[in-house]
Amino acid sequence: MLVQSLMGEFLHEAQNTRNLLNAIPDSALEWKPREKSWTTGQLASHIAEVYNWYDPTLHQDIFDMATYKYDKGDISNTANIVAKFEANVKAAQVSLEKATDESMFVNWKMVMGSDEPIFPEMPRIQVVRGFLFNHLYHHRGEMIVYLRATGNKVPSIYGPTGDDI
């Protein structure tokens, strides 16, 4: 029942993320709010990449970021970023479908090349909510700011936006 509930949110929010990524015009991909920030393309690529973390989060008790290979892909146009997103979402859905309610209560930790956790070890369900779901929502919020700052429209996510009225 727990995994089924997560799946409902996953599917709903994947559509919201899809709508947001599809709203990014290629002309905004190089923009960033300040020198230290990611460009719009880099942020969009990161949003797509979060879905690639589902399998190690759901099916490994330890996720070693030192061995993780991040491939931002070709971020020269939005279509490439959306294609990466679609592939990662499909794989994430399969990983979530294979998870069990019981596995959500197994402790999980993230490390960086040692046994020392980056943050406290916790039940997998807490990691799914925080590291996968909420982390993604945070970055979507950033993307909305990027779109607004570049004069672009924001799609409806939880109801009409200022662009709709």
Side-chain angles (χ1 to χ4, degrees):
M1 190 64 143
L2 182 57
V3 171
Q4 184 179 3
S5 175
L6 291 170
M7 183 61 76
E9 181 175 350
F10 171 87
L11 293 171
H12 177 77
E13 296 300 340
Q15 183 59 51
N16 285 332
T17 303
R18 179 178 293 110
N19 294 345
L20 182 61
L21 292 177
N22 279 312
I24 303 168
D26 289 345
S27 61
L29 290 173
E30 292 299 319
W31 185 85
K32 58 184 176 179
R34 63 187 186 121
E35 190 55 38
K36 289 185 173 185
S37 297
W38 282 336
T39 65
T40 302
Q42 290 168 324
L43 178 57
S45 175
H46 180 64
I47 289 168
E49 184 66 14
V50 169
Y51 290 97
N52 201 34
W53 300 344
Y54 273 69
D55 196 62
T57 302
L58 292 167
H59 301 291
Q60 297 174 16
D61 294 337
I62 300 172
F63 187 178
D64 188 351
M65 288 300 285
T67 63
Y68 181 75
K69 303 295 183 217
Y70 172 59
D71 176 14
K72 71 179 178 184
D74 178 359
I75 61 172
S76 64
N77 64 60
T78 300
N80 291 340
I81 297 167
V82 171
K84 177 183 175 180
F85 161 80
E86 294 297 351
N88 288 349
V89 164
K90 188 175 190 174
Q93 182 175 347
V94 168
S95 291
L96 187 54
E97 288 169 345
K98 290 179 182 176
T100 65
D101 288 356
E102 296 77 24
S103 72
M104 292 298 152
F105 299 99
V106 173
N107 276 353
W108 182 94
K109 70 178 178 177
M110 178 184 284
V111 298
M112 181 67 86
S114 74
D115 287 335
E116 190 64 33
I118 294 173
F119 47 80
E121 189 172 323
M122 60 191 76
R124 184 173 278 112
I125 184 62
Q126 189 175 348
V127 178
V128 170
R129 296 282 334 143
F131 182 64
L132 298 178
F133 285 23
N134 295 343
H135 178 195
L136 177 69
Y137 307 151
H138 158 75
H139 287 306
R140 284 191 336 204
E142 286 181 305
M143 184 58 71
I144 289 168
V145 171
Y146 277 43
L147 286 173
R148 290 256 187 256
T150 54
N152 292 290
K153 291 184 176 185
V154 173
S156 173
I157 292 181
Y158 299 118
T161 70
D163 297 323
D164 297 329
I165 46 179

